[in-house]
Amino acid sequence: MSSGIWQRGKEEEGVYGFLIEDIRKEVNRASKLKCSVCKRNGASIGCVAPRCKRSYHFPCGLEKECIFQFTGNFQSFCWDHRPIQVIPPSNYRDALPCTICLEFIEPIPTYSILRSPCCKNAWFHRDCLQVQAINAGVFFFRCTICNNSDIFQEEMLRMGIHIPEKDASWELEENAYQELLQHYERCDVRRCRCKDGREYNAPDSKWEIKRCQCCGSSGTHLACSSLRSWEQNWECLECRGILYNSGFKSADFQKAKKHALPKSNSIGINDCLLEETSPKLLRQSNGAQSKDLLRQGIKFRRDLSAVLIELGFQIKKKTKKLYINKANIWNSALDGFKNQNFNPSYTIEVAYVNESDNFGREHPGSKHEFLSLLMQHLENSSLFEGSLSKNLSLNSQALKENLYYEVGKMLAISLVHGGPSPGFFSKTLFNCLVYGPENTQPILDDVSDYDVAQIIIRIKTATNMTDLNSVINECYNYLEVTGCLKLVTVLSDKYHLINDILFYHVIKRVQAPFESFKQGLKTLGILEKIQTYPEAFCSILCHKPETLSAKVLSDLFTVHTLSDVQALGFWNTYLQTIEGGKSTTTMEDILIFATGCSSIPPTGFKPTPSIECLHMDFPIGNKYNNCLALPITNTYKEFQENMDITIRKTLRLEKEEMSHYTGH
């Protein structure tokens, strides 16, 4: 974006065509220019408007809502001279939804609100458009209403939307449409008469499965619906109801004519996509360059809960029951998630079972509690190493069993399905996921191996070449095996040696587990969102939730059927007592007692936690419904004692029971 530099070389020359001498000249020129925003030197970007003398840094320009055009000569405009969309006032209407995120916006063109040039009633948030452009790329970025690409892209480039030269992200995902290649083979009629089960399919017999001719996502055995042959039409109940209500008969569906495709010249894929790059971007940049630009300059700050709720739209109403043994949370969760019938987009239903129960009884379980217990297990599992901030460990058996992939999948499912935030990732692990291992430098705190840490400390504290060579000689075998053994000529070389050891031990050594873990995080699109909104996800992946306050907990619980006003007053006083440190119970204890979670999930609770009043002496926590029943007492002292005793005793018994079974 710098004003005084041009891509004079070929793509392989200099830095992507920018010659080294040109870069040095531009750095020297910019060092004399003061930024109009932060007042510091180094402002290499100038407004192209005639007679405008404003210069600014790229991040400062973004902060002041300058417009940078990622096309042609890569021009930039300051906040006073930026291009605007001219729309007659008579065309303004009441609030309309952004056609991407569907949140209502005022249809008035501003920096952050843009209108489609081809569909006059299509409005967008700038951030939504930019995210869509990054995901869709130049070949798939188009108007969400009419699908126009030429006029739409031209206007969006004028208004400063960056459209990268790449294929759409969904086209690059491996096996992204694999499920479309599978036929639906299951009998869904109420009474399946096949003795071999609903999924039995025997072609050319009465037990051949016929799919619904309308939706193709329901089926029946020929015999189960009294169909004489495979050619006979059949619709599922849902489609039949739609057809009936619309007055559209089955015979009409069968006789409907197929529309012929419009005649056009034969154009191959290579002709339209691969022959030459788009002329829109005169300064070419590779994929890594575009991603760096996005991460460093265009920071899309969206509410994290909104991002996760958006991903939650993938969850279908169809439920999948997981049978969970709380005493063996890992194995039962692994069995459930690896089951061939498990689909991450199905609604999760939890049933608790106990192996020691000879009657095989199951009890309704809390999904929040299950996901919370699972996250606690993952944090302390052997697949991660470190004290508070965790990195991936190297476990050959786990790698052989593909467990790193399963862990990534579990974390992704937990976030989308309303589970608690993990909060135990190290910044190094997080940066590897967002920016790539090759762009991440670990620190000493990432090393959990005592012997390796001591080697690094000894090298770092060496004050002369004699001490440094002595350490290198003692650790010769280790340095040789890890590929870190290099010629050291001056004392400052020790820092390069330390960086090599850190990179090997924390990143290169666990490269295979990392790739497997990363694939698992792609489940339900979590990894892509992490890379798009790194700041938002860092807050829940690398940091524990803040301590709960009395106000937060009071606002969290809604009051239902509370007939005793005095009990409500006791409840508010009880929260203040805990916050003041006058009770052995904590806010987190109350939340666990009522919901099974020690913190509020990023997407909140479903159903919303509630309070009710029962004519009982002690409180009751219903984790399945996130409901807390308060006791009715005559005095506050009795209320606090009953709450403290019950909550502490319940949580202690649950902990002892789990540790007993785990130890056994």
Side-chain angles (χ1 to χ4, degrees):
M1 306 306 302
S2 296
S3 302
I5 191 168
W6 301 91
Q7 192 181 30
R8 295 194 302 124
K10 297 180 180 179
E11 191 72 19
E12 62 274 8
E13 292 182 301
V15 182
Y16 305 114
F18 294 93
L19 303 182
I20 301 300
E21 58 267 28
D22 291 346
I23 296 174
R24 286 175 176 156
K25 288 179 182 178
E26 179 61 8
V27 170
N28 184 55
R29 184 188 75 87
S31 66
K32 304 169 186 175
L33 299 175
K34 184 173 292 186
C35 176
S36 301
V37 181
C38 71
K39 309 304 180 185
R40 297 178 181 176
N41 290 340
S44 63
I45 304 173
C47 176
V48 299
R51 299 182 181 178
C52 182
K53 298 182 179 180
R54 287 195 180 107
S55 296
Y56 33 84
H57 301 102
F58 184 77
C60 296
L62 287 173
E63 184 181 338
K64 285 289 286 184
E65 299 184 346
C66 298
I67 280 185
F68 302 92
Q69 293 182 341
F70 296 86
T71 183
N73 291 329
F74 280 63
Q75 298 182 127
S76 65
F77 301 83
C78 72
W79 49 94
D80 284 339
H81 300 114
R82 67 190 182 206
I84 59 174
Q85 292 184 306
V86 180
I87 299 173
S90 58
N91 288 356
Y92 295 163
R93 301 181 182 179
D94 294 332
L96 292 173
C98 166
T99 60
I100 298 176
C101 73
L102 302 182
E103 290 183 4
F104 279 89
I105 54 179
E106 290 295 326
I108 300 174
T110 63
Y111 174 80
S112 56
I113 305 296
L114 300 176
R115 190 179 78 157
S116 171
C118 41
C119 292
K120 306 306 180 186
N121 60 340
W123 294 80
F124 315 90
H125 292 107
R126 173 181 288 273
D127 286 354
C128 293
L129 273 173
Q130 186 59 81
V131 172
Q132 186 189 47
I134 295 299
N135 287 327
V138 69
F139 303 119
F140 289 92
F141 182 54
R142 56 195 65 191
C143 176
T144 55
I145 304 297
C146 69
N147 263 353
N148 179 284
S149 59
D150 295 335
I151 298 175
F152 186 75
Q153 287 192 15
E154 182 180 354
E155 174 67 1
M156 293 306 115
L157 286 168
R158 184 180 79 90
M159 296 306 296
I161 300 298
H162 172 45
I163 310 173
E165 292 248 356
K166 67 164 192 174
D167 210 343
S169 58
W170 56 84
E171 295 288 339
L172 301 176
E173 186 176 343
E174 189 177 356
N175 299 324
Y177 305 102
Q178 187 176 12
E179 66 274 10
L180 299 181
L181 304 176
Q182 300 174 357
H183 294 298
Y184 187 87
E185 293 186 351
R186 191 178 190 278
C187 179
D188 296 307
V189 297
R190 180 173 297 180
R191 291 187 178 181
C192 177
R193 302 190 305 199
C194 181
K195 295 181 180 180
D196 293 314
R198 291 182 177 272
E199 297 180 357
Y200 178 73
N201 183 27
D204 301 323
S205 74
K206 65 179 181 180
W207 302 120
E208 181 173 1
I209 290 180
K210 166 79 175 177
R211 288 177 290 278
C212 172
Q213 65 170 345
C214 298
C215 67
S217 59
S218 293
T220 177
H221 291 113
L222 298 181
C224 295
S225 293
S226 301
L227 300 177
R228 296 180 180 178
S229 67
W230 194 87
E231 287 80 10
Q232 190 173 346
N233 293 325
W234 180 79
E235 301 95 19
C236 64
L237 285 175
E238 188 173 350
C239 292
R240 194 176 303 165
I242 295 172
L243 293 173
Y244 178 80
N245 292 330
S246 63
F248 195 69
K249 306 301 180 186
S250 177
D252 298 328
F253 184 86
Q254 185 182 11
K255 295 176 183 176
K257 294 182 179 180
K258 296 181 179 178
H259 296 282
L261 292 171
K263 294 182 180 180
S264 60
N265 296 330
S266 177
I267 301 177
I269 293 178
N270 290 338
D271 297 329
C272 60
L273 294 183
L274 304 179
E275 188 176 61
E276 61 181 22
T277 57
S278 168
K280 289 187 174 67
L281 296 175
L282 299 183
R283 289 188 190 175
Q284 300 299 323
S285 59
N286 64 4
Q289 217 175 358
S290 300
K291 288 181 180 178
D292 288 341
L293 179 63
L294 172 65
R295 290 167 185 146
Q296 295 169 14
I298 308 171
K299 296 179 181 178
F300 304 108
R301 291 185 174 88
R302 286 188 62 191
D303 183 57
L304 179 64
S305 61
V307 175
L308 294 177
I309 290 171
E310 179 183 301
L311 289 175
F313 291 150
Q314 304 171 77
I315 300 175
K316 302 176 176 64
K317 291 183 179 179
K318 187 172 182 179
T319 61
K320 172 62 179 176
K321 184 179 287 188
L322 297 179
Y323 296 94
I324 303 299
N325 179 5
K326 290 171 71 172
N328 195 355
I329 196 81
W330 166 252
N331 285 329
S332 52
L334 196 61
D335 290 342
F337 287 148
K338 292 179 73 173
N339 188 294
Q340 61 180 357
N341 294 323
F342 177 78
N343 188 325
S345 61
Y346 287 171
T347 299
I348 293 176
E349 185 178 321
V350 176
Y352 286 138
V353 295
N354 194 330
E355 294 177 356
S356 61
D357 189 343
N358 296 327
F359 297 99
R361 288 171 295 193
E362 59 183 69
H363 308 280
S366 162
K367 180 180 70 174
H368 291 116
E369 181 184 35
F370 157 62
L371 293 175
S372 180
L373 292 173
L374 183 58
M375 291 303 103
Q376 291 174 27
H377 177 87
L378 294 184
E379 182 175 1
N380 300 309
S381 72
S382 60
L383 277 69
F384 293 92
E385 60 184 22
S387 53
L388 297 177
S389 298
K390 307 280 186 175
N391 288 295
L392 292 173
S393 65
L394 181 59
N395 187 320
S396 57
Q397 185 61 32
L399 191 61
K400 187 183 300 182
E401 297 176 10
N402 206 24
L403 296 186
Y404 290 99
Y405 170 84
E406 296 297 333
V407 167
K409 184 171 75 172
M410 288 176 183
L411 285 163
I413 291 173
S414 177
L415 288 173
V416 178
H417 283 263
S421 54
F424 60 83
F425 281 29
S426 71
K427 284 291 183 64
T428 298
L429 176 56
F430 181 80
N431 288 339
C432 285
L433 291 171
V434 176
Y435 307 112
E438 67 281 1
N439 297 317
T440 303
Q441 179 58 51
I443 60 176
L444 182 59
D445 289 344
D446 293 318
V447 179
S448 58
D449 188 303
Y450 177 80
D451 293 333
V452 176
Q454 287 301 306
I455 293 174
I456 295 173
I457 292 172
R458 290 181 62 191
I459 293 174
K460 186 177 181 180
T461 55
T463 56
N464 53 59
M465 286 299 297
T466 303
D467 292 342
L468 182 59
N469 286 322
S470 175
V471 176
I472 292 174
N473 290 332
E474 288 183 33
C475 307
Y476 185 91
N477 291 336
Y478 171 79
L479 296 175
E480 185 179 36
V481 170
T482 59
C484 299
L485 187 63
K486 294 180 180 178
L487 181 64
V488 175
T489 56
V490 293
L491 188 62
S492 60
D493 286 344
K494 68 180 182 179
Y495 298 109
H496 297 292
L497 181 58
I498 290 172
N499 288 339
D500 288 345
I501 296 173
L502 286 170
F503 189 84
Y504 169 80
H505 185 81
V506 181
I507 293 179
K508 189 176 180 180
R509 182 176 63 98
V510 294
Q511 185 174 357
F514 174 77
E515 290 301 325
S516 182
F517 178 67
K518 186 177 172 183
Q519 290 299 317
L521 276 177
K522 289 183 178 180
T523 304
L524 296 174
I526 277 291
L527 180 62
E528 183 180 348
K529 293 298 183 184
I530 291 174
Q531 294 171 341
T532 306
Y533 307 107
E535 289 185 4
F537 276 92
C538 183
S539 64
I540 65 166
L541 294 179
C542 300
H543 303 283
K544 292 293 184 182
E546 294 182 2
T547 304
L548 295 171
S549 65
K551 186 179 186 310
V552 169
L553 213 58
S554 178
D555 294 342
L556 180 65
F557 284 87
T558 57
V559 181
H560 290 321
T561 64
L562 189 65
S563 56
D564 195 304
V565 178
Q566 180 174 270
L568 179 59
F570 287 168
W571 161 251
N572 290 325
T573 304
Y574 183 58
L575 295 180
Q576 296 297 330
T577 301
I578 294 174
E579 191 169 55
K582 298 177 182 178
S583 171
T584 54
T585 306
T586 65
M587 302 290 183
E588 287 72 22
D589 290 340
I590 296 176
L591 197 61
I592 296 172
F593 181 75
T595 68
C597 273
S598 60
S599 61
I600 302 173
T603 57
F605 286 101
K606 290 182 182 179
T608 303
S610 61
I611 287 177
E612 62 182 5
C613 207
L614 298 179
H615 289 278
M616 301 184 68
D617 294 332
F618 299 96
I620 297 175
N622 187 341
K623 298 174 183 176
Y624 184 74
N625 293 320
N626 298 328
C627 182
L628 174 62
L630 300 177
I632 295 180
T633 60
N634 294 323
T635 65
Y636 171 71
K637 182 179 180 182
E638 187 181 359
F639 179 90
Q640 180 180 342
E641 288 177 351
N642 291 354
M643 291 287 288
D644 284 344
I645 292 172
T646 305
I647 292 174
R648 290 203 311 270
K649 185 175 181 181
T650 301
L651 298 185
R652 187 180 72 250
L653 288 174
E654 289 180 351
K655 190 174 182 179
E656 289 176 354
E657 184 179 3
M658 290 185 64
S659 61
H660 168 73
Y661 282 111
T662 305
H664 177 72

